[in-house]
Amino acid sequence: MKKLMGFVGFLLVAALFAGCSTGPSKQYTITGEYISVEPDPAFVAPEPEPAEEADDESSSDDQESVATEGDAEQADEELAMDLSMAKVVVTQEITTDDGESEAKEIASGSFSDGQFVLNGEIEEPTEVELSVEIGEDDPLTTKAMLGPGAEVSFALIEYQDARSPRLSLYGESRRAMDPGKKYSISGDLSAIDADLSTAVVSVSGPTWDEEGKEVYTTFGSTMLRDGKFSIEADVDEPVVVGISLNAGSTYYSGQAVVEPKTEFTVSPYGSSTTLLVTSGTGLHAELIESWQSADYLEAMEAYSLASAAYRAEMDAAREAAQSGESDEANDAEEAVETSTDEAEAEEATILALADGIPQVEECEHVDLSDVKPGIMDGPAIEPSPARKELDDRWETMSKIRDSALEGIAESATDPFVALIALELGAFGYFSDNRDQAIRIYDQLAPKLDEDIVARRLTPERERLVAAIEIEDNDKGLVPGQKAPEFTLPDLSGADVALYDVVADRDLVLVDFWASWCGPCIATFPHLKKFYSAFNDDGFEIIAISIDSTHEAWADASEEHELPWMNLGEIVESNGEIANAYGVQFIPKGYLLDTKGCVIQKDLQYENLQEVLVARYGDDPLLHESEDGAESSPTDPDSDDDVGGEKSI
């Protein structure tokens, strides 16, 4: 009996030991694949560097031949990625004892025959960075979630043209860490008529940091695998996310209201570039699927077809313009009509300024009959039939969507549902009834959690109020009005007051710009000519950068060598001075006289030059080409003096 009990005891201990040693697997697997992509005919490579002059001892033909062969060999070498030198590194961000963040290597490995496999163990779900290091080039990186039982796949893409290689998750992005907060979005997009071989799907939306500040975040991104994808992530509360498919020149997008423990399916619809997102349950079904009726889908497809027709019309017009073939009679008739339209538009602009907004007493001396049309005051252009069809189809879609969302925002019994309806665009900025959004925000505020109000309601309400205020300021600050006073720092930190400058100068152009604004930078060569020609006569420029960082402002100022007064209102958004001047777009300029009165607004450089020449006279500097050679603005047979005397 004792022997039997001893044997049973042995079995129990053995079973207990076996149970302890066979817990959940801690192993993970990372696989990678090298993919070479053929050249894209639509891709436009950067302009090559100018070739050096040929050696006198060699013929030009020989030089060209050698250069061509050398360039081809160099290109082949650059495009041939040496995977034998590639190292894949997995790192985790940790915090040191000093409170600093640093990357800690978890594992690493190499490719073999274009494939990568790495197995390892990890205790708990951890966000990691995958990087591929090849020679001395900067590593390619992407984010992933590793955890017990995880299987992560990535693709290393090399393009056989001038496009840079990239690293992407392949087929799946699983970054959820908490089953109670997880949502998943998946789809089969293989029916899309486009090259999806390296297409990437991303899911992005708002999150909030510890201070409650909104941060736009990518929840997951992955390359399609056989046209399919799956993205999993965590979310603390319902939010609106954007789902995008980027396939080179083809771009598709959709929206979803994600919340914990929800699943979504993404699919294409007809020829539309809008992705349909379905769930069948929750807030998404209530706020989006509810109005995606058969009528809406029909309108969406009609809009897609109209868009294709309009693009074809634009392409044909572009080709005709490039060919240089035109009917001279039609051109002449069109020129007369355009001239008439421009004259009528200019007269209408002047009348609107004179009759709609009375001049302030200090600016009654401003002659409104001399006001030139601004950038936004051009003649109305009758849309082509294809464009009109496109606009009509868009309006049909918008009415269905807006009517549904506005109804939900007005009548939802759940204040959170009403808030998300507003976030989806109910009574949005371009709505004729956008004031209703402010009223609804104010009604919802006492019904929602204070944290939600602080993070999501109040900032959106303030943005809408500011946008309306900026638009009103833009409409009100016209020739015949006093420019708002301001004091702003220059790059050295010294403050400059507007009215100190205008009191000392004859004319001052206040010009809003930013380092990222291409059209702004395109005006600099013209403004430099005006400044050189007329600064001694009393013309001054005050440039105001609205960059979000001092570094961006300083770097762009140095790069473009701005010679005039260069001030900055460096804030993240909605700067007080920019708001006061109604800055809805840039470049935006106001020409002020010595009393601070606006005499011109938003002039294109041709009209600004006309105003300055009329005031100060012509100047040879205005007619210098880029290489410094002078070109006459007058008829070559004319005896008129180009320079002339300047008068004030």
Side-chain angles (χ1 to χ4, degrees):
M1 184 68 178
K2 289 182 179 180
K3 289 183 178 181
L4 178 61
M5 291 181 65
F7 180 69
V8 171
F10 171 77
L11 291 178
L12 290 173
V13 172
L16 179 62
F17 179 79
C20 292
S21 63
T22 58
S25 172
K26 300 177 183 179
Q27 191 174 54
Y28 64 81
T29 300
I30 300 176
T31 59
E33 183 175 338
Y34 166 77
I35 299 176
S36 177
V37 180
E38 293 297 317
D40 181 359
F43 177 74
V44 179
E47 289 290 332
E49 293 291 332
E52 295 183 4
E53 293 186 7
D55 192 310
D56 291 340
E57 297 180 2
S58 303
S59 71
S60 59
D61 290 342
D62 289 342
Q63 287 289 330
E64 182 176 352
S65 174
V66 170
T68 302
E69 291 173 4
D71 290 346
E73 291 173 2
Q74 182 179 356
D76 289 341
E77 291 176 1
E78 290 175 352
L79 293 174
M81 184 178 288
D82 186 359
L83 290 181
S84 66
M85 298 179 60
K87 180 182 179 182
V88 180
V89 181
V90 184
T91 58
Q92 172 191 1
E93 186 176 293
I94 63 170
T95 303
T96 65
D97 294 337
D98 298 330
E100 300 292 330
S101 295
E102 68 176 32
K104 174 186 176 183
E105 182 174 320
I106 296 176
S108 63
S110 303
F111 278 86
S112 176
D113 296 327
Q115 302 292 320
F116 175 85
V117 179
L118 176 66
N119 294 305
E121 291 189 350
I122 196 165
E123 294 289 338
E124 59 185 3
T126 304
E127 185 174 68
V128 299
E129 181 177 84
L130 305 180
S131 64
V132 176
E133 302 171 357
I134 305 175
E136 298 180 356
D137 294 336
D138 291 336
L140 305 172
T141 63
T142 189
K143 298 285 188 181
M145 186 68 67
L146 275 189
E151 296 181 358
V152 175
S153 295
F154 69 83
L156 175 60
I157 313 298
E158 181 182 23
Y159 298 96
Q160 299 304 314
D161 49 36
R163 288 175 290 174
S164 300
R166 63 181 172 88
L167 185 68
S168 176
L169 295 182
Y170 196 16
E172 296 179 343
S173 170
R174 303 189 183 279
R175 296 174 65 177
M177 299 180 67
D178 184 344
K181 297 180 179 180
K182 185 179 81 171
Y183 69 89
S184 63
I185 300 176
S186 60
D188 183 348
L189 305 180
S190 57
I192 291 177
D193 184 18
D195 179 10
L196 302 179
S197 58
T198 59
V200 172
V201 175
S202 299
V203 176
S204 305
T207 58
W208 291 266
D209 62 18
E210 295 178 354
E211 298 177 355
K213 180 181 176 182
E214 182 177 309
V215 180
Y216 199 74
T217 303
T218 298
F219 294 108
S221 179
T222 180
M223 198 169 84
L224 295 181
R225 190 165 200 156
D226 299 325
K228 300 176 183 179
F229 77 95
S230 178
I231 293 176
E232 294 179 354
D234 288 338
V235 66
D236 293 320
E237 62 195 37
V239 294
V240 179
V241 300
I243 303 166
S244 64
L245 169 68
N246 189 339
S249 59
T250 307
Y251 187 84
Y252 292 73
S253 63
Q255 280 185 312
V257 181
V258 299
E259 52 189 317
K261 297 183 178 181
T262 51
E263 297 180 358
F264 302 86
T265 300
V266 180
S267 58
Y269 185 83
S271 61
S272 174
T273 56
T274 297
L275 298 173
L276 285 185
V277 185
T278 56
S279 175
T281 61
L283 294 175
H284 181 84
E286 181 177 358
L287 285 158
I288 293 183
E289 291 180 68
S290 62
W291 48 264
Q292 288 184 339
S293 60
D295 288 343
Y296 181 82
L297 297 179
E298 181 181 344
M300 188 171 75
E301 179 66 10
Y303 173 78
S304 176
L305 296 175
S307 179
Y310 179 65
R311 286 198 303 271
E313 180 182 78
M314 294 297 291
D315 290 342
R318 191 177 299 110
E319 290 178 6
Q322 290 174 348
S323 69
E325 297 176 359
S326 61
D327 186 331
E328 294 183 2
N330 288 341
D331 286 350
E333 182 179 349
E334 184 178 338
V336 172
E337 292 175 353
T338 301
S339 176
T340 303
D341 290 342
E342 289 177 348
E344 292 175 352
E346 182 171 352
E347 182 180 359
T349 301
I350 294 169
L351 290 174
L353 294 172
D355 298 337
I357 303 175
Q359 293 169 263
V360 296
E361 184 176 350
E362 305 97 306
C363 300
E364 289 180 344
H365 62 279
V366 175
D367 186 357
L368 296 183
S369 66
D370 285 340
V371 173
K372 305 293 182 185
I375 295 173
M376 306 300 289
D377 299 324
I381 300 175
E382 182 68 24
S384 67
R387 179 55 196 247
K388 189 175 186 306
E389 176 74 7
L390 181 66
D391 292 343
D392 290 345
R393 296 302 184 184
W394 175 258
E395 185 176 355
T396 300
M397 286 174 56
S398 298
K399 281 183 177 179
I400 296 174
R401 173 190 172 95
D402 294 346
S403 176
L405 289 174
E406 289 171 4
I408 294 172
E410 288 270 26
S411 61
T413 56
D414 184 340
F416 199 81
V417 172
L419 176 63
I420 297 181
L422 292 172
E423 291 177 344
L424 282 166
F427 302 111
Y429 174 73
F430 294 104
S431 169
D432 293 335
N433 301 312
R434 62 189 180 185
D435 289 344
Q436 295 298 319
I438 298 174
R439 175 182 61 80
I440 296 173
Y441 279 131
D442 292 341
Q443 291 175 346
L444 295 178
K447 301 176 183 178
L448 290 166
D449 182 82
E450 290 183 2
D451 175 60
I452 295 291
V453 172
R455 288 188 292 110
R456 298 178 64 165
L457 187 150
T458 300
E460 287 301 318
R461 184 189 186 282
E462 289 178 348
R463 273 193 281 267
L464 180 58
V465 169
I468 295 173
E469 180 182 337
I470 292 169
E471 183 180 301
D472 290 342
N473 290 342
D474 187 23
K475 291 178 180 178
L477 189 56
V478 294
Q481 307 300 308
K482 288 278 283 187
E485 170 66 289
F486 62 77
T487 299
L488 288 170
D490 62 16
L491 282 167
S492 69
D495 285 339
V496 176
L498 171 66
Y499 275 82
D500 288 347
V501 178
V502 298
D504 191 48
R505 308 298 286 169
D506 180 52
L507 292 179
V508 175
L509 176 67
V510 177
D511 181 50
F512 290 87
W513 71 288
S515 62
W516 43 263
C517 172
C520 302
I521 293 167
T523 66
F524 289 167
H526 305 289
L527 293 181
K528 287 180 180 179
K529 286 186 178 182
F530 302 158
Y531 191 76
S532 297
F534 303 121
N535 182 245
D536 290 342
D537 298 306
F539 173 62
E540 184 58 76
I541 298 175
I542 299 179
I544 301 177
S545 165
I546 58 171
D547 279 296
S548 57
T549 67
H550 189 281
E551 181 181 11
W553 169 34
D555 288 348
S557 299
E558 180 180 0
E559 178 184 354
H560 301 293
E561 300 178 338
L562 306 184
W564 43 73
M565 292 187 178
N566 185 15
L567 312 182
E569 185 176 34
I570 309 303
V571 293
E572 290 189 359
S573 62
N574 298 332
E576 181 180 341
I577 307 306
N579 285 6
Y581 277 77
V583 178
Q584 300 184 85
F585 58 85
I586 51 176
K588 188 167 190 66
Y590 293 88
L591 189 63
L592 314 181
D593 65 14
T594 193
K595 293 185 177 180
C597 296
V598 179
I599 63 172
Q600 303 285 347
K601 175 181 178 180
D602 294 335
L603 294 183
Q604 297 199 57
Y605 71 86
E606 299 96 332
N607 286 341
L608 177 57
Q609 177 171 325
E610 184 180 339
V611 170
L612 295 175
V613 168
R615 193 174 189 92
Y616 302 123
D618 208 344
D619 190 294
L621 290 172
L622 299 176
H623 312 296
E624 287 186 356
S625 60
E626 293 297 324
D627 59 5
E630 186 173 318
S631 58
S632 172
T634 60
D635 188 304
D637 296 327
S638 170
D639 294 326
D640 292 345
D641 183 4
V642 174
E645 288 192 6
K646 300 176 184 176
S647 59
I648 298 178

